[in-house]
mmCIF file with all atom_site columns, all heavy atoms in Angstrom:
data_model
loop_
_atom_site.group_PDB
_atom_site.id
_atom_site.type_symbol
_atom_site.label_atom_id
_atom_site.label_alt_id
_atom_site.label_comp_id
_atom_site.label_asym_id
_atom_site.label_entity_id
_atom_site.label_seq_id
_atom_site.pdbx_PDB_ins_code
_atom_site.Cartn_x
_atom_site.Cartn_y
_atom_site.Cartn_z
_atom_site.occupancy
_atom_site.B_iso_or_equiv
_atom_site.pdbx_formal_charge
_atom_site.auth_seq_id
_atom_site.auth_comp_id
_atom_site.auth_asym_id
_atom_site.auth_atom_id
_atom_site.pdbx_PDB_model_num
ATOM 1   N N   . THR A 1 1  ? 0.813  -1.215 0.000   1.00 0.00 ? 32 THR A N   1
ATOM 2   C CA  . THR A 1 1  ? 0.000  0.000  0.000   1.00 0.00 ? 32 THR A CA  1
ATOM 3   C C   . THR A 1 1  ? 0.845  1.262  0.000   1.00 0.00 ? 32 THR A C   1
ATOM 4   O O   . THR A 1 1  ? 0.339  2.335  -0.266  1.00 0.00 ? 32 THR A O   1
ATOM 5   C CB  . THR A 1 1  ? -0.937 0.034  1.229   1.00 0.00 ? 32 THR A CB  1
ATOM 6   O OG1 . THR A 1 1  ? -0.140 -0.065 2.406   1.00 0.00 ? 32 THR A OG1 1
ATOM 7   C CG2 . THR A 1 1  ? -1.946 -1.096 1.174   1.00 0.00 ? 32 THR A CG2 1
ATOM 8   N N   . LEU A 1 2  ? 2.130  1.127  0.318   1.00 0.00 ? 33 LEU A N   1
ATOM 9   C CA  . LEU A 1 2  ? 2.994  2.293  0.277   1.00 0.00 ? 33 LEU A CA  1
ATOM 10  C C   . LEU A 1 2  ? 3.403  2.578  -1.161  1.00 0.00 ? 33 LEU A C   1
ATOM 11  O O   . LEU A 1 2  ? 3.621  1.647  -1.945  1.00 0.00 ? 33 LEU A O   1
ATOM 12  C CB  . LEU A 1 2  ? 4.252  2.067  1.119   1.00 0.00 ? 33 LEU A CB  1
ATOM 13  C CG  . LEU A 1 2  ? 4.017  1.929  2.622   1.00 0.00 ? 33 LEU A CG  1
ATOM 14  C CD1 . LEU A 1 2  ? 5.327  1.586  3.314   1.00 0.00 ? 33 LEU A CD1 1
ATOM 15  C CD2 . LEU A 1 2  ? 3.441  3.198  3.182   1.00 0.00 ? 33 LEU A CD2 1
ATOM 16  N N   . PRO A 1 3  ? 3.515  3.834  -1.558  1.00 0.00 ? 34 PRO A N   1
ATOM 17  C CA  . PRO A 1 3  ? 3.921  4.139  -2.920  1.00 0.00 ? 34 PRO A CA  1
ATOM 18  C C   . PRO A 1 3  ? 5.339  3.671  -3.174  1.00 0.00 ? 34 PRO A C   1
ATOM 19  O O   . PRO A 1 3  ? 6.209  3.776  -2.321  1.00 0.00 ? 34 PRO A O   1
ATOM 20  C CB  . PRO A 1 3  ? 3.816  5.665  -2.993  1.00 0.00 ? 34 PRO A CB  1
ATOM 21  C CG  . PRO A 1 3  ? 3.850  6.135  -1.586  1.00 0.00 ? 34 PRO A CG  1
ATOM 22  C CD  . PRO A 1 3  ? 3.286  5.031  -0.747  1.00 0.00 ? 34 PRO A CD  1
ATOM 23  N N   . ALA A 1 4  ? 5.557  3.129  -4.358  1.00 0.00 ? 35 ALA A N   1
ATOM 24  C CA  . ALA A 1 4  ? 6.892  2.660  -4.722  1.00 0.00 ? 35 ALA A CA  1
ATOM 25  C C   . ALA A 1 4  ? 7.796  3.845  -4.979  1.00 0.00 ? 35 ALA A C   1
ATOM 26  O O   . ALA A 1 4  ? 7.368  4.859  -5.526  1.00 0.00 ? 35 ALA A O   1
ATOM 27  C CB  . ALA A 1 4  ? 6.801  1.795  -5.979  1.00 0.00 ? 35 ALA A CB  1
ATOM 28  N N   . PRO A 1 5  ? 9.073  3.763  -4.578  1.00 0.00 ? 36 PRO A N   1
ATOM 29  C CA  . PRO A 1 5  ? 9.978  4.871  -4.841  1.00 0.00 ? 36 PRO A CA  1
ATOM 30  C C   . PRO A 1 5  ? 10.233 5.036  -6.325  1.00 0.00 ? 36 PRO A C   1
ATOM 31  O O   . PRO A 1 5  ? 10.266 4.060  -7.075  1.00 0.00 ? 36 PRO A O   1
ATOM 32  C CB  . PRO A 1 5  ? 11.260 4.478  -4.094  1.00 0.00 ? 36 PRO A CB  1
ATOM 33  C CG  . PRO A 1 5  ? 11.161 3.004  -3.871  1.00 0.00 ? 36 PRO A CG  1
ATOM 34  C CD  . PRO A 1 5  ? 9.705  2.657  -3.858  1.00 0.00 ? 36 PRO A CD  1
ATOM 35  N N   . VAL A 1 6  ? 10.384 6.278  -6.737  1.00 0.00 ? 37 VAL A N   1
ATOM 36  C CA  . VAL A 1 6  ? 10.667 6.565  -8.135  1.00 0.00 ? 37 VAL A CA  1
ATOM 37  C C   . VAL A 1 6  ? 12.162 6.385  -8.372  1.00 0.00 ? 37 VAL A C   1
ATOM 38  O O   . VAL A 1 6  ? 12.970 6.991  -7.664  1.00 0.00 ? 37 VAL A O   1
ATOM 39  C CB  . VAL A 1 6  ? 10.242 8.013  -8.493  1.00 0.00 ? 37 VAL A CB  1
ATOM 40  C CG1 . VAL A 1 6  ? 10.587 8.336  -9.931  1.00 0.00 ? 37 VAL A CG1 1
ATOM 41  C CG2 . VAL A 1 6  ? 8.769  8.211  -8.211  1.00 0.00 ? 37 VAL A CG2 1
ATOM 42  N N   . PRO A 1 7  ? 12.558 5.511  -9.334  1.00 0.00 ? 38 PRO A N   1
ATOM 43  C CA  . PRO A 1 7  ? 13.988 5.291  -9.561  1.00 0.00 ? 38 PRO A CA  1
ATOM 44  C C   . PRO A 1 7  ? 14.695 6.599  -9.938  1.00 0.00 ? 38 PRO A C   1
ATOM 45  O O   . PRO A 1 7  ? 14.194 7.384  -10.734 1.00 0.00 ? 38 PRO A O   1
ATOM 46  C CB  . PRO A 1 7  ? 14.014 4.319  -10.737 1.00 0.00 ? 38 PRO A CB  1
ATOM 47  C CG  . PRO A 1 7  ? 12.645 3.707  -10.791 1.00 0.00 ? 38 PRO A CG  1
ATOM 48  C CD  . PRO A 1 7  ? 11.717 4.726  -10.211 1.00 0.00 ? 38 PRO A CD  1
ATOM 49  N N   . GLY A 1 8  ? 15.852 6.803  -9.340  1.00 0.00 ? 39 GLY A N   1
ATOM 50  C CA  . GLY A 1 8  ? 16.660 7.986  -9.656  1.00 0.00 ? 39 GLY A CA  1
ATOM 51  C C   . GLY A 1 8  ? 16.180 9.263  -9.008  1.00 0.00 ? 39 GLY A C   1
ATOM 52  O O   . GLY A 1 8  ? 16.791 10.311 -9.168  1.00 0.00 ? 39 GLY A O   1
ATOM 53  N N   . ALA A 1 9  ? 15.063 9.203  -8.278  1.00 0.00 ? 40 ALA A N   1
ATOM 54  C CA  . ALA A 1 9  ? 14.550 10.429 -7.648  1.00 0.00 ? 40 ALA A CA  1
ATOM 55  C C   . ALA A 1 9  ? 15.316 10.697 -6.361  1.00 0.00 ? 40 ALA A C   1
ATOM 56  O O   . ALA A 1 9  ? 15.606 9.795  -5.596  1.00 0.00 ? 40 ALA A O   1
ATOM 57  C CB  . ALA A 1 9  ? 13.063 10.282 -7.339  1.00 0.00 ? 40 ALA A CB  1
ATOM 58  N N   . HIS A 1 10 ? 15.651 11.940 -6.155  1.00 0.00 ? 41 HIS A N   1
ATOM 59  C CA  . HIS A 1 10 ? 16.337 12.350 -4.935  1.00 0.00 ? 41 HIS A CA  1
ATOM 60  C C   . HIS A 1 10 ? 15.531 13.463 -4.302  1.00 0.00 ? 41 HIS A C   1
ATOM 61  O O   . HIS A 1 10 ? 15.008 14.322 -5.006  1.00 0.00 ? 41 HIS A O   1
ATOM 62  C CB  . HIS A 1 10 ? 17.748 12.862 -5.246  1.00 0.00 ? 41 HIS A CB  1
ATOM 63  C CG  . HIS A 1 10 ? 18.624 11.824 -5.878  1.00 0.00 ? 41 HIS A CG  1
ATOM 64  N ND1 . HIS A 1 10 ? 19.170 10.794 -5.172  1.00 0.00 ? 41 HIS A ND1 1
ATOM 65  C CD2 . HIS A 1 10 ? 19.010 11.657 -7.170  1.00 0.00 ? 41 HIS A CD2 1
ATOM 66  C CE1 . HIS A 1 10 ? 19.884 10.031 -5.996  1.00 0.00 ? 41 HIS A CE1 1
ATOM 67  N NE2 . HIS A 1 10 ? 19.795 10.530 -7.208  1.00 0.00 ? 41 HIS A NE2 1
ATOM 68  N N   . PRO A 1 11 ? 15.438 13.453 -2.982  1.00 0.00 ? 42 PRO A N   1
ATOM 69  C CA  . PRO A 1 11 ? 14.704 14.557 -2.350  1.00 0.00 ? 42 PRO A CA  1
ATOM 70  C C   . PRO A 1 11 ? 15.392 15.888 -2.629  1.00 0.00 ? 42 PRO A C   1
ATOM 71  O O   . PRO A 1 11 ? 16.612 15.949 -2.728  1.00 0.00 ? 42 PRO A O   1
ATOM 72  C CB  . PRO A 1 11 ? 14.743 14.218 -0.851  1.00 0.00 ? 42 PRO A CB  1
ATOM 73  C CG  . PRO A 1 11 ? 15.797 13.169 -0.691  1.00 0.00 ? 42 PRO A CG  1
ATOM 74  C CD  . PRO A 1 11 ? 15.990 12.517 -2.034  1.00 0.00 ? 42 PRO A CD  1
ATOM 75  N N   . ALA A 1 12 ? 14.581 16.895 -2.807  1.00 0.00 ? 43 ALA A N   1
ATOM 76  C CA  . ALA A 1 12 ? 15.131 18.225 -3.075  1.00 0.00 ? 43 ALA A CA  1
ATOM 77  C C   . ALA A 1 12 ? 15.944 18.689 -1.878  1.00 0.00 ? 43 ALA A C   1
ATOM 78  O O   . ALA A 1 12 ? 15.589 18.435 -0.733  1.00 0.00 ? 43 ALA A O   1
ATOM 79  C CB  . ALA A 1 12 ? 14.001 19.211 -3.352  1.00 0.00 ? 43 ALA A CB  1
ATOM 80  N N   . SER A 1 13 ? 17.041 19.352 -2.135  1.00 0.00 ? 44 SER A N   1
ATOM 81  C CA  . SER A 1 13 ? 17.862 19.880 -1.052  1.00 0.00 ? 44 SER A CA  1
ATOM 82  C C   . SER A 1 13 ? 17.124 21.032 -0.396  1.00 0.00 ? 44 SER A C   1
ATOM 83  O O   . SER A 1 13 ? 16.648 21.938 -1.073  1.00 0.00 ? 44 SER A O   1
ATOM 84  C CB  . SER A 1 13 ? 19.193 20.398 -1.600  1.00 0.00 ? 44 SER A CB  1
ATOM 85  O OG  . SER A 1 13 ? 19.896 19.353 -2.203  1.00 0.00 ? 44 SER A OG  1
ATOM 86  N N   . PRO A 1 14 ? 17.010 20.983 0.932   1.00 0.00 ? 45 PRO A N   1
ATOM 87  C CA  . PRO A 1 14 ? 16.319 22.085 1.598   1.00 0.00 ? 45 PRO A CA  1
ATOM 88  C C   . PRO A 1 14 ? 17.152 23.359 1.531   1.00 0.00 ? 45 PRO A C   1
ATOM 89  O O   . PRO A 1 14 ? 18.375 23.316 1.505   1.00 0.00 ? 45 PRO A O   1
ATOM 90  C CB  . PRO A 1 14 ? 16.187 21.595 3.042   1.00 0.00 ? 45 PRO A CB  1
ATOM 91  C CG  . PRO A 1 14 ? 17.265 20.574 3.206   1.00 0.00 ? 45 PRO A CG  1
ATOM 92  C CD  . PRO A 1 14 ? 17.501 19.970 1.846   1.00 0.00 ? 45 PRO A CD  1
ATOM 93  N N   . LEU A 1 15 ? 16.448 24.474 1.480   1.00 0.00 ? 46 LEU A N   1
ATOM 94  C CA  . LEU A 1 15 ? 17.138 25.759 1.498   1.00 0.00 ? 46 LEU A CA  1
ATOM 95  C C   . LEU A 1 15 ? 17.728 25.975 2.885   1.00 0.00 ? 46 LEU A C   1
ATOM 96  O O   . LEU A 1 15 ? 17.165 25.523 3.880   1.00 0.00 ? 46 LEU A O   1
ATOM 97  C CB  . LEU A 1 15 ? 16.149 26.886 1.167   1.00 0.00 ? 46 LEU A CB  1
ATOM 98  C CG  . LEU A 1 15 ? 15.574 26.854 -0.247  1.00 0.00 ? 46 LEU A CG  1
ATOM 99  C CD1 . LEU A 1 15 ? 14.470 27.884 -0.372  1.00 0.00 ? 46 LEU A CD1 1
ATOM 100 C CD2 . LEU A 1 15 ? 16.660 27.085 -1.275  1.00 0.00 ? 46 LEU A CD2 1
ATOM 101 N N   . PRO A 1 16 ? 18.865 26.647 2.972   1.00 0.00 ? 47 PRO A N   1
ATOM 102 C CA  . PRO A 1 16 ? 19.417 26.898 4.298   1.00 0.00 ? 47 PRO A CA  1
ATOM 103 C C   . PRO A 1 16 ? 18.451 27.735 5.130   1.00 0.00 ? 47 PRO A C   1
ATOM 104 O O   . PRO A 1 16 ? 17.790 28.634 4.613   1.00 0.00 ? 47 PRO A O   1
ATOM 105 C CB  . PRO A 1 16 ? 20.716 27.662 4.013   1.00 0.00 ? 47 PRO A CB  1
ATOM 106 C CG  . PRO A 1 16 ? 20.702 28.011 2.574   1.00 0.00 ? 47 PRO A CG  1
ATOM 107 C CD  . PRO A 1 16 ? 19.649 27.200 1.894   1.00 0.00 ? 47 PRO A CD  1
ATOM 108 N N   . ALA A 1 17 ? 18.373 27.393 6.413   1.00 0.00 ? 48 ALA A N   1
ATOM 109 C CA  . ALA A 1 17 ? 17.456 28.097 7.303   1.00 0.00 ? 48 ALA A CA  1
ATOM 110 C C   . ALA A 1 17 ? 17.973 29.513 7.573   1.00 0.00 ? 48 ALA A C   1
ATOM 111 O O   . ALA A 1 17 ? 19.161 29.722 7.773   1.00 0.00 ? 48 ALA A O   1
ATOM 112 C CB  . ALA A 1 17 ? 17.314 27.342 8.614   1.00 0.00 ? 48 ALA A CB  1
ATOM 113 N N   . ALA A 1 18 ? 17.045 30.453 7.566   1.00 0.00 ? 49 ALA A N   1
ATOM 114 C CA  . ALA A 1 18 ? 17.384 31.850 7.850   1.00 0.00 ? 49 ALA A CA  1
ATOM 115 C C   . ALA A 1 18 ? 17.331 32.076 9.357   1.00 0.00 ? 49 ALA A C   1
ATOM 116 O O   . ALA A 1 18 ? 16.596 31.397 10.068  1.00 0.00 ? 49 ALA A O   1
ATOM 117 C CB  . ALA A 1 18 ? 16.392 32.771 7.148   1.00 0.00 ? 49 ALA A CB  1
ATOM 118 N N   . PRO A 1 19 ? 18.096 33.033 9.852   1.00 0.00 ? 50 PRO A N   1
ATOM 119 C CA  . PRO A 1 19 ? 18.008 33.318 11.295  1.00 0.00 ? 50 PRO A CA  1
ATOM 120 C C   . PRO A 1 19 ? 16.694 34.029 11.628  1.00 0.00 ? 50 PRO A C   1
ATOM 121 O O   . PRO A 1 19 ? 16.178 34.796 10.822  1.00 0.00 ? 50 PRO A O   1
ATOM 122 C CB  . PRO A 1 19 ? 19.208 34.217 11.560  1.00 0.00 ? 50 PRO A CB  1
ATOM 123 C CG  . PRO A 1 19 ? 19.621 34.757 10.245  1.00 0.00 ? 50 PRO A CG  1
ATOM 124 C CD  . PRO A 1 19 ? 19.129 33.811 9.191   1.00 0.00 ? 50 PRO A CD  1
ATOM 125 N N   . ILE A 1 20 ? 16.181 33.718 12.797  1.00 0.00 ? 51 ILE A N   1
ATOM 126 C CA  . ILE A 1 20 ? 14.989 34.394 13.311  1.00 0.00 ? 51 ILE A CA  1
ATOM 127 C C   . ILE A 1 20 ? 15.328 34.963 14.693  1.00 0.00 ? 51 ILE A C   1
ATOM 128 O O   . ILE A 1 20 ? 16.292 34.539 15.323  1.00 0.00 ? 51 ILE A O   1
ATOM 129 C CB  . ILE A 1 20 ? 13.768 33.456 13.409  1.00 0.00 ? 51 ILE A CB  1
ATOM 130 C CG1 . ILE A 1 20 ? 14.044 32.311 14.403  1.00 0.00 ? 51 ILE A CG1 1
ATOM 131 C CG2 . ILE A 1 20 ? 13.380 32.912 12.040  1.00 0.00 ? 51 ILE A CG2 1
ATOM 132 C CD1 . ILE A 1 20 ? 12.810 31.507 14.774  1.00 0.00 ? 51 ILE A CD1 1
ATOM 133 N N   . THR A 1 21 ? 14.529 35.904 15.138  1.00 0.00 ? 52 THR A N   1
ATOM 134 C CA  . THR A 1 21 ? 14.717 36.494 16.461  1.00 0.00 ? 52 THR A CA  1
ATOM 135 C C   . THR A 1 21 ? 13.544 36.092 17.349  1.00 0.00 ? 52 THR A C   1
ATOM 136 O O   . THR A 1 21 ? 12.382 36.228 16.956  1.00 0.00 ? 52 THR A O   1
ATOM 137 C CB  . THR A 1 21 ? 14.800 38.023 16.370  1.00 0.00 ? 52 THR A CB  1
ATOM 138 O OG1 . THR A 1 21 ? 15.911 38.376 15.534  1.00 0.00 ? 52 THR A OG1 1
ATOM 139 C CG2 . THR A 1 21 ? 14.982 38.648 17.742  1.00 0.00 ? 52 THR A CG2 1
ATOM 140 N N   . VAL A 1 22 ? 13.867 35.573 18.526  1.00 0.00 ? 53 VAL A N   1
ATOM 141 C CA  . VAL A 1 22 ? 12.849 35.202 19.508  1.00 0.00 ? 53 VAL A CA  1
ATOM 142 C C   . VAL A 1 22 ? 13.108 36.026 20.766  1.00 0.00 ? 53 VAL A C   1
ATOM 143 O O   . VAL A 1 22 ? 14.242 36.121 21.236  1.00 0.00 ? 53 VAL A O   1
ATOM 144 C CB  . VAL A 1 22 ? 12.919 33.697 19.839  1.00 0.00 ? 53 VAL A CB  1
ATOM 145 C CG1 . VAL A 1 22 ? 11.867 33.327 20.887  1.00 0.00 ? 53 VAL A CG1 1
ATOM 146 C CG2 . VAL A 1 22 ? 12.733 32.857 18.578  1.00 0.00 ? 53 VAL A CG2 1
ATOM 147 N N   . HIS A 1 23 ? 12.064 36.655 21.282  1.00 0.00 ? 54 HIS A N   1
ATOM 148 C CA  . HIS A 1 23 ? 12.150 37.457 22.500  1.00 0.00 ? 54 HIS A CA  1
ATOM 149 C C   . HIS A 1 23 ? 11.793 36.541 23.671  1.00 0.00 ? 54 HIS A C   1
ATOM 150 O O   . HIS A 1 23 ? 10.688 36.005 23.727  1.00 0.00 ? 54 HIS A O   1
ATOM 151 C CB  . HIS A 1 23 ? 11.219 38.660 22.427  1.00 0.00 ? 54 HIS A CB  1
ATOM 152 C CG  . HIS A 1 23 ? 11.391 39.443 21.162  1.00 0.00 ? 54 HIS A CG  1
ATOM 153 N ND1 . HIS A 1 23 ? 12.504 40.229 20.927  1.00 0.00 ? 54 HIS A ND1 1
ATOM 154 C CD2 . HIS A 1 23 ? 10.620 39.541 20.051  1.00 0.00 ? 54 HIS A CD2 1
ATOM 155 C CE1 . HIS A 1 23 ? 12.399 40.780 19.731  1.00 0.00 ? 54 HIS A CE1 1
ATOM 156 N NE2 . HIS A 1 23 ? 11.264 40.378 19.184  1.00 0.00 ? 54 HIS A NE2 1
ATOM 157 N N   . TYR A 1 24 ? 12.731 36.354 24.566  1.00 0.00 ? 55 TYR A N   1
ATOM 158 C CA  . TYR A 1 24 ? 12.588 35.382 25.653  1.00 0.00 ? 55 TYR A CA  1
ATOM 159 C C   . TYR A 1 24 ? 12.671 36.083 26.995  1.00 0.00 ? 55 TYR A C   1
ATOM 160 O O   . TYR A 1 24 ? 13.582 36.865 27.245  1.00 0.00 ? 55 TYR A O   1
ATOM 161 C CB  . TYR A 1 24 ? 13.691 34.335 25.506  1.00 0.00 ? 55 TYR A CB  1
ATOM 162 C CG  . TYR A 1 24 ? 13.832 33.371 26.658  1.00 0.00 ? 55 TYR A CG  1
ATOM 163 C CD1 . TYR A 1 24 ? 12.753 32.626 27.132  1.00 0.00 ? 55 TYR A CD1 1
ATOM 164 C CD2 . TYR A 1 24 ? 15.071 33.186 27.275  1.00 0.00 ? 55 TYR A CD2 1
ATOM 165 C CE1 . TYR A 1 24 ? 12.901 31.749 28.177  1.00 0.00 ? 55 TYR A CE1 1
ATOM 166 C CE2 . TYR A 1 24 ? 15.224 32.294 28.322  1.00 0.00 ? 55 TYR A CE2 1
ATOM 167 C CZ  . TYR A 1 24 ? 14.134 31.582 28.768  1.00 0.00 ? 55 TYR A CZ  1
ATOM 168 O OH  . TYR A 1 24 ? 14.286 30.704 29.803  1.00 0.00 ? 55 TYR A OH  1
ATOM 169 N N   . SER A 1 25 ? 11.689 35.810 27.856  1.00 0.00 ? 56 SER A N   1
ATOM 170 C CA  . SER A 1 25 ? 11.641 36.411 29.195  1.00 0.00 ? 56 SER A CA  1
ATOM 171 C C   . SER A 1 25 ? 11.528 35.318 30.247  1.00 0.00 ? 56 SER A C   1
ATOM 172 O O   . SER A 1 25 ? 10.906 34.276 30.011  1.00 0.00 ? 56 SER A O   1
ATOM 173 C CB  . SER A 1 25 ? 10.429 37.331 29.342  1.00 0.00 ? 56 SER A CB  1
ATOM 174 O OG  . SER A 1 25 ? 10.466 38.366 28.399  1.00 0.00 ? 56 SER A OG  1
#
């Protein structure tokens, strides 16, 4: 029932994560 993998397919490379600002108290 699981989809068969596509031959030669590679997961897309994720974009590098950008910095975020979190205010912590």
Side-chain angles (χ1 to χ4, degrees):
T32 57
L33 294 175
V37 178
H41 299 285
S44 299
L46 295 172
I51 63 168
T52 300
V53 179
H54 309 288
Y55 171 54
S56 300

